[in-house]
Amino acid sequence: MLKYPAPSLVTMALACLLALTGCAPGMTVPPGESAPANAQTPAPKIAVVNRSEKTDGTLQCAEARFKKSVMLTRVWLPTPPQDIVNLGAALSKTIAVDLLNTSHFDVKTTQATQSTGPEPAVDAFKSHGTPYFIRISGHNFGLSGQASMWSFLGPSLNPRGGTLDIRIVDALTTQTMAQTTVSAPSVNAGEYDPVIDALGTDFTASAYGQAMNQLASEAANWIDRTLVCKPLIGQVVHVDGSTITINRGINDGLRSSDRLLILQRTDRVYQPGQDAYTEHYLLQSLGTAEVARLGEHTTRIHYGGQHVVQVGDIVQSAN
């Protein structure tokens, strides 16, 4: 149930004046009537700023057939709206489901993190073998989630939006691969009273809930476009002379004709001139290997190089 306090004539005059000066459609109401806070108007299109280069149409790259392993943090909301619970969890769930539906990803989720250091990404790769680490935080979701310049209009006329900040980190080098900001335009959505659960069907059916679903879907689309043409990355799990077993196989899109590059991570590289030193890693090539026996989840490859390959070393598609 939503609370729609009837605005005064002065408030209505202000709302109408704002509508004439560029305020969003739907904010003008007849005198003596209150505006429906969550009217079922079509959810607006999502605006995206600072995004990486966009690829239109079907992606034509050999790496698109590989299923990338990603670690997705749950959306961290430092100032969540007080009338909506589990908003970060709902956004995270939609993003994860959308990524899985592309068939381009194996998605694992972890707790939200405020850290911008390398530790969460490195730990994710060591523990789960997920070389692509995705951090997401959000803000500006309205009604005490963040102050709004329209708050004097009252809850029923206070537009609500939301912004997600997304960063994709290379867990092997701990460097940022890409980042963007995805923003949903304002929706005329009033206060939820009683407090509503973002994981429930009532919120999903509301205009603001639909806008949040589109916001999460656009975030997933950007992640897909950014990573779909990246190489397949796995790890060495067993070494027996020149025969090496890796943790990637048919289910990851690997084929018997594929060639793989074996990489070894070097010692840490410290970057001076920072208050807290940031750890980065470099990768050195040990040479290429060919598929010897292809399995569903693991594969044996043949390596004829002279370098010593160890468990934990990295393999990457080299087509």
Side-chain angles (χ1 to χ4, degrees):
M1 176 180 179
L2 301 179
K3 180 169 62 179
Y4 310 128
S8 67
L9 293 177
V10 174
T11 304
M12 286 297 94
L14 287 172
C16 293
L17 178 59
L18 289 170
L20 292 174
T21 56
C23 189
M27 291 187 60
T28 304
V29 296
E33 297 182 15
S34 60
N38 276 312
Q40 296 299 316
T41 55
K45 294 182 179 180
I46 304 300
V48 181
V49 295
N50 297 330
R51 65 167 47 174
S52 297
E53 182 178 355
K54 179 181 178 182
T55 302
D56 293 322
T58 303
L59 290 166
Q60 300 295 331
C61 59
E63 293 80 5
R65 63 180 166 89
F66 293 126
K67 183 177 290 185
K68 281 73 173 185
S69 180
V70 301
M71 177 65 75
L72 177 71
T73 68
R74 294 185 176 91
V75 176
W76 175 55
L77 302 180
T79 53
Q82 295 181 358
D83 61 336
I84 305 173
V85 297
N86 293 322
L87 181 57
L91 291 166
S92 306
K93 180 179 178 180
T94 301
I95 294 171
V97 169
D98 284 359
L99 290 177
L100 288 171
N101 287 341
T102 65
S103 299
H104 297 154
F105 298 96
D106 174 24
V107 181
K108 296 181 176 65
T109 57
T110 187
Q111 296 297 326
T113 177
Q114 304 177 35
S115 172
T116 57
E119 295 82 8
V122 173
D123 292 343
F125 184 70
K126 287 182 178 179
S127 303
H128 303 282
T130 52
Y132 300 109
F133 188 83
I134 306 171
R135 292 187 177 100
I136 305 180
S137 61
H139 60 275
N140 197 28
F141 291 93
L143 286 180
S144 75
Q146 184 169 318
S148 170
M149 63 181 293
W150 310 106
S151 58
F152 67 91
L153 293 175
S156 64
L157 290 178
N158 188 1
R160 302 180 71 161
T163 296
L164 295 178
D165 299 311
I166 312 170
R167 175 178 297 190
I168 302 178
V169 179
D170 183 342
L172 305 182
T173 64
T174 72
Q175 298 187 57
T176 297
M177 299 171 55
Q179 59 186 3
T180 194
T181 298
V182 184
S183 296
S186 297
V187 176
N188 292 337
E191 180 182 0
Y192 290 95
D193 184 18
V195 172
I196 197 168
D197 189 344
L199 293 171
T201 56
D202 289 343
F203 179 77
T204 303
S206 69
Y208 189 57
Q210 293 175 35
M212 292 299 96
N213 183 73
Q214 290 190 33
L215 175 65
S217 294
E218 184 61 28
N221 288 339
W222 179 82
I223 294 170
D224 184 24
R225 289 192 299 269
T226 303
L227 293 180
V228 68
C229 288
K230 296 298 182 181
L232 176 70
I233 294 176
Q235 281 181 292
V236 173
V237 296
H238 183 73
V239 178
D240 184 8
S242 61
T243 301
I244 298 168
T245 303
I246 64 173
N247 62 347
R248 297 291 183 258
I250 296 173
N251 287 354
D252 302 288
L254 201 60
R255 297 174 181 171
S256 58
S257 59
D258 285 328
R259 292 175 60 83
L260 297 168
L261 184 66
I262 301 178
L263 303 170
Q264 188 177 72
R265 190 160 63 186
T266 66
D267 293 337
R268 302 167 184 169
V269 177
Y270 294 93
Q271 298 198 357
Q274 300 178 357
D275 294 335
Y277 291 121
T278 301
E279 298 176 357
H280 291 290
Y281 295 84
L282 297 177
L283 299 174
Q284 65 178 7
S285 173
L286 303 182
T288 59
E290 298 179 349
V291 173
R293 184 174 180 180
L294 187 63
E296 290 187 2
H297 301 284
T298 59
T299 296
R300 293 179 183 176
I301 61 177
H302 176 73
Y303 171 66
Q306 301 301 315
H307 298 282
V308 175
V309 179
Q310 300 177 329
V311 172
D313 283 345
I314 299 152
V315 292
Q316 174 181 308
S317 57
N319 292 343

